[in-house]
Each structure stands twice: as C-alpha cells, then as structure tokens.
C-alpha cells in the first residue's frame, strides 16, 4: 500500500533529521530542519465523523531573505477515533410520529492522509531569541477513507420503558475511497531559541484538503466536501 510506504519514508526522514541535528556546524543559520508532533481538530462535516487525532510532520527549509523562509514538509495523520455523539441515525415509526435517534454502535470508519507541502514563512517579529511568523502553504495529499460493512437490527424504544420495536435491518456495504488532492494551509507560528542552534517551535493553522468523502444515506452520513481542520504543532527545530 502506498500509505504504508510513505509511513516508512517518515521514519527514515526522522533518522536523517536526527543525524543532521547533532552536527556542530550550525553557525551559518541559513538552513533548518525539524520534527513536530501534530494535533488535528476536524471542522465542519468532518467533525461529525471524527474526534481530534494525533499526527507527525518533518521538514527542511532555508532562509531566502531577511524576512522570508521556504520550508518543505512531509506529514502524516490518521483519524480513527469516531465521534459517536454525532454518528447516529434518525428514524420515525410513523409518518407524523416522533423522531428517534439511534447510535451507530457498530460503525467502523477511518481517514488516513500523507501530505507533501511547500510553506512560506514571513517573519513579523525577529529577535535573537524569538521569531513570530505568518505561514502560508500548499501541497498535495494522498488520502484513504475506509468504511466497513454495517449490519445491524435497529430497534426503537417506543414507550421509554424498554419496549423495543424493530424499525429496520441495516445492511450497508463497505466502501473505500482513495485519491490525490491538493491542499492549503494558513497560520501563525512562534520559534524560541533554547541553545545555540536548537529552538522550540509551535504553531496553529487552518488546513483544508480539497477532496470529497462520499455520503452514506442509509447511515445518515452526509457528504464531506473539503476536509477542513485546525492543525496544532509543537516540536524541535535545528538551524545550521
């Protein structure tokens, strides 16, 4: 699988970053490399399917002027913690009867993405110990969304006293979607020097992958048009 191969590349890149960061040749301060732990908060209809997820990213960059830096970034994330408060179906036993909300207790969905992006940082504030930047980025993502088969008998408590009535039997085939999509991000970052060439980096940004997750009407899953999220990152950066 392409996703698994790219995950291996992430770990190889981690090793390269580690080897580079221990070199004592960081006096020029025109190049940088680092690794981050990422926290992704889904937005919009994506948040109806998933709770926040962890990820990782690795990057290499160069100062191209006093105010601008270009960075190439490789990132990985997998959403598999489902938002069970939102993953429910709504049914009526009669046309004008009350609505019943029934949890999709057996649902199993996941979204995995690997991205390669180019990012420009503009230094709003730059001192000997700290930099504050506006970041703009774009790139390409390989993503995979999986929904397993769903089979379940749907019962409704018609009296509120545990008197269950069979409403329907769900038998929905699984579906897998894979695609390449463009993406973009915009955010703010802070870089604080802690020792010679080493600094601590943190950022917050809005990210959107321009792709579409298909709906499943039998499961009341709406279409996701544009995978939107807030991306929080924190890590270590080396300059050399």
């Amino acid at each position: 699988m392409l996703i698994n191969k790219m995950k291996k590349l992430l770990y190889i890149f981690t090793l390269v970053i580690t080897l580079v960061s221990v070199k004592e040749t960081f006096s020029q301060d025109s190049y940088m490399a680092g690794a981050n732990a990422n926290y992704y908060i889904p937005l919009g209809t994506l948040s109806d399917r998933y709770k926040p997820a962890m990820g990782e990213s690795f990057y290499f960059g160069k100062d191209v002027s006093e105010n601008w830096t270009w960075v190439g970034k490789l990132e990985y994330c997998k959403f598999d913690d489902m938002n069970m408060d939102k993953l429910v179906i709504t049914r009526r036993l009669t046309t004008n009867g009350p609505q019943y909300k029934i949890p999709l207790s057996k649902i199993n969905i996941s979204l995995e993405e690997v991205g390669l992006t180019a990012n420009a940082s503009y230094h709003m504030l730059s001192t000997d110990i700290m930099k504050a930047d506006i970041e703009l980025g774009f790139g390409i993502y390989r993503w995979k969304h999986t929904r397993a088969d769903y089979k379940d008998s749907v019962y409704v408590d018609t009296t509120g006293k545990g008197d269950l009535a069979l409403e329907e039997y769900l038998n929905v085939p699984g579906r897998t979607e894979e695609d390449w999509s463009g993406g973009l991000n915009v955010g703010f970052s802070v870089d604080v020097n802690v020792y010679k060439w080493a600094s601590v980096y943190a950022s917050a940004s809005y990210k959107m992958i321009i792709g579409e997750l298909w709906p499943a009407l039998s499961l009341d899953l709406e279409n996701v048009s544009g995978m939107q999220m807030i991306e929080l990152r924190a890590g270590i950066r080396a300059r050399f």
Side-chain angles (χ1 to χ4, degrees):
M1 298 293 291
L2 179 60
I3 293 288
N4 292 330
K5 290 181 180 179
M6 296 191 76
K7 284 174 65 177
K8 291 179 181 179
L9 287 176
L10 290 176
Y11 294 112
I12 294 172
F13 195 68
T14 305
L15 178 60
V16 173
I17 293 299
T18 302
L19 294 174
V20 170
S21 65
V22 299
K23 295 174 70 68
E24 293 295 336
T25 58
F26 296 100
S27 58
Q28 297 179 24
D29 288 342
S30 61
Y31 292 91
M32 69 173 69
N36 296 322
N38 300 356
Y39 186 69
Y40 297 92
I41 304 171
L43 301 175
T45 49
L46 188 64
S47 68
D48 292 337
R49 301 193 184 197
Y50 298 107
K51 292 182 178 180
M54 294 297 297
E56 55 196 5
S57 59
F58 310 91
Y59 58 91
F60 182 87
K62 185 181 188 305
D63 296 329
V64 295
S65 72
E66 183 178 350
N67 295 321
W68 288 95
T69 300
W70 275 100
V71 175
K73 183 174 66 173
L74 185 64
E75 61 181 80
Y76 171 79
C77 175
K78 184 176 183 180
F79 290 95
D80 56 7
D81 188 3
M82 294 163 286
N83 188 353
M84 300 308 299
D85 292 336
K86 296 287 188 178
L87 291 170
V88 299
I89 57 175
T90 303
R91 295 290 187 270
R92 294 180 189 268
L93 289 180
T94 60
T95 302
N96 296 318
Q99 287 188 338
Y100 297 95
K101 291 188 178 296
I102 304 144
L104 293 170
S105 58
K106 297 182 180 181
I107 196 167
N108 185 2
I109 56 176
S110 65
L111 172 63
E112 192 173 17
E113 57 99 344
V114 176
L116 183 62
T117 63
N119 302 269
S121 297
Y122 176 75
H123 310 316
M124 296 187 303
L125 173 66
S126 182
T127 69
D128 291 339
I129 62 172
M130 186 184 77
K131 288 185 178 181
D133 296 350
I134 293 177
E135 297 185 342
L136 303 170
F138 60 91
I140 189 166
Y141 293 85
R142 177 65 173 175
W143 57 268
K144 178 180 180 180
H145 186 260
T146 303
R147 174 174 51 80
D149 296 347
Y150 193 91
K151 297 180 180 181
D152 195 13
S153 298
V154 177
Y155 289 90
V156 173
D157 186 352
T158 57
T159 64
K161 299 179 181 180
D163 299 324
L164 300 179
L166 179 64
E167 201 280 331
E168 69 177 292
Y169 178 72
L170 291 172
N171 185 3
V172 183
R175 183 183 182 90
T176 297
E177 302 169 68
E178 291 185 82
D179 206 351
W180 293 92
S181 296
L184 54 89
N185 64 84
V186 57
F188 174 82
S189 69
V190 175
D191 182 350
V192 180
N193 183 258
V194 291
Y195 175 75
K196 293 182 179 179
W197 46 264
S199 61
V200 174
Y201 169 86
S203 72
S205 62
Y206 165 82
K207 183 174 84 172
M208 181 172 69
I209 300 173
I210 308 171
E212 182 177 10
L213 305 183
W214 282 34
L217 299 181
S218 299
L219 300 176
D220 287 3
L221 287 178
E222 296 184 12
N223 177 68
V224 177
S225 183
M227 291 167 264
Q228 304 177 71
M229 61 199 76
I230 297 295
E231 181 181 3
L232 306 177
R233 301 188 298 271
I236 299 297
R237 170 174 290 180
R239 287 189 170 273
F240 54 99

